[in-house]
Amino acid sequence: MDSVIITGAGTGLGRELALKYGKEGYHLILVGRSEESLSEVRKQLNNAHIMVMDIRNKQEVDANIQSLLKEYKVVGLINNAGIGFFGPFDKIRENEIEEMFQTNVLGTMYMTQAVLPNICKLDGSFVMNIISTAGLRGKVNESAYVASKFAVRGFTESIQKEYEEKPVLISAVYMGGMNTPFWKDSEHVKDPSKFRSPAEVAEIIFSQKEKECVVIESK
Ligand SMILES: NC(=O)c1ccc[n+]([C@@H]2O[C@H](COP(=O)([O-])OP(=O)(O)OC[C@H]3O[C@@H](n4cnc5c(N)ncnc54)[C@H](OP(=O)(O)O)[C@@H]3O)[C@@H](O)[C@H]2O)c1
């Protein structure tokens, strides 16, 4: 059975992508730091493996991915885990900038480096990077988050070129706001309930999963 690794699979979009890919017949490897939320998602899937891991830790990523690759036929990686801190640029804290870059940029690169070379020759293999419309254009009070997402876009476009001779599909997904726990500690967005649901976004992503670039603007 083909396995797909999804980071940040315990909540929000990652959870909905896991449920969708599970329904479509894939085995899921659910990555995140909270075992509790990953276990809740696993309960809704017939067949899933939990990997409690912090994607910011390269040693942890390398060791865990090596053991997963021995156990499962991994064909896909969805780099979905991400965090955001918002506010005027002069108020953003050093630790917030660092955490965003460590998670959104370095975590995505560590995961990709551990997985991609091992799957890139398989037909049907893929790496999908969940970015944001923040990876397409600048936004007020989102400077550091936008900078981190532009970095992921640059990384994605570069590996698309580097691996273009290989059968692996490397894709970038840019979506607008979603109603997820992403906003729970933030006042940046007044009413996230107006956003698309992560389930709707997961459906759209799955329906366009053969494309190198998917843009899902806010409603
Ligand atoms: N919500 C939006 O409006 C929106 C819009 C555009 C793009 N996005 C992007 O969509 C992606 C998913 O976000 P979401 O909205 O679904 O938010 P979310 O519910 O907060 O999901 C983020 C997930 O990432 C995991 N995570 C965070 N840091 C991690 C780490 N160091 N190691 C492993 N897992 C980690 C979290 O789980 P743990 O805390 O348990 O690790 C969480 O499950 C993110 O990349 C985000 O930037 C969101």
Side-chain angles (χ1 to χ4, degrees), residues 160-210:
Q160 281 173 337
K161 292 184 193 306
E162 207 167 310
Y163 283 77
E164 69 189 352
E165 304 298 327
K166 303 272 194 307
V168 66
L169 172 70
I170 298 170
S171 65
V173 182
Y174 305 95
M175 70 283 288
M178 297 180 288
N179 185 16
T180 72
F182 188 82
W183 300 112
K184 73 177 185 320
D185 298 321
S186 169
E187 285 168 14
H188 180 55
V189 164
K190 296 278 164 298
D191 184 7
S193 71
K194 292 198 174 128
F195 288 153
R196 287 184 200 271
S197 73
E200 179 187 356
V201 175
E203 285 290 338
I204 300 171
I205 291 172
F206 192 86
S207 70
Q208 300 192 35
K209 68 181 185 339
E210 308 305 335

Side-chain angles (χ1 to χ4, degrees), residues 32-88:
R33 292 168 301 175
S34 155
E35 185 166 8
E36 201 184 335
S37 60
L38 296 175
S39 299
E40 284 302 313
V41 179
R42 181 172 55 183
K43 275 189 207 156
Q44 296 184 52
L45 292 161
N46 288 332
N47 193 7
H49 179 88
I50 285 179
M51 177 59 73
V52 178
M53 169 166 87
D54 187 334
I55 60 166
R56 296 173 296 182
N57 182 327
K58 188 169 185 338
Q59 280 74 32
E60 213 181 310
V61 167
D62 285 345
N64 285 327
I65 296 297
Q66 278 318 309
S67 71
L68 285 174
L69 290 168
K70 284 187 194 133
E71 203 174 333
Y72 299 102
K73 189 193 164 208
V74 175
V75 298
L77 166 66
I78 303 181
N79 283 308
N80 163 78
I83 56 167
F85 295 104
F86 303 98

Side-chain angles (χ1 to χ4, degrees), residues 79-215:
N79 283 308
N80 163 78
I83 56 167
F85 295 104
F86 303 98
F89 176 60
D90 61 354
K91 298 281 186 316
I92 291 272
R93 295 184 183 149
E94 187 182 351
N95 70 302
E96 294 174 332
I97 298 173
E98 285 176 1
E99 274 181 52
M100 280 190 283
F101 274 77
Q102 282 164 354
T103 309
N104 303 354
V105 186
L106 299 186
T108 295
M109 294 175 76
Y110 296 157
M111 286 295 298
T112 306
Q113 208 173 34
V115 175
L116 179 58
N118 293 289
I119 65 169
C120 66
K121 293 186 188 135
L122 300 175
D123 284 327
S125 61
F126 67 92
V127 173
M128 179 189 286
N129 288 341
I130 300 300
I131 308 181
S132 165
T133 51
L136 295 176
R137 51 186 179 262
K139 302 186 188 211
V140 174
N141 292 336
E142 300 196 16
S143 56
Y145 177 70
V146 164
S148 76
K149 293 293 186 175
F150 265 61
V152 183
R153 175 184 177 184
F155 167 61
T156 309
E157 290 183 2
S158 299
I159 56 170
Q160 281 173 337
K161 292 184 193 306
E162 207 167 310
Y163 283 77
E164 69 189 352
E165 304 298 327
K166 303 272 194 307
V168 66
L169 172 70
I170 298 170
S171 65
V173 182
Y174 305 95
M175 70 283 288
M178 297 180 288
N179 185 16
T180 72
F182 188 82
W183 300 112
K184 73 177 185 320
D185 298 321
S186 169
E187 285 168 14
H188 180 55
V189 164
K190 296 278 164 298
D191 184 7
S193 71
K194 292 198 174 128
F195 288 153
R196 287 184 200 271
S197 73
E200 179 187 356
V201 175
E203 285 290 338
I204 300 171
I205 291 172
F206 192 86
S207 70
Q208 300 192 35
K209 68 181 185 339
E210 308 305 335
K211 291 189 182 170
E212 281 200 345
C213 176
V214 176
V215 179

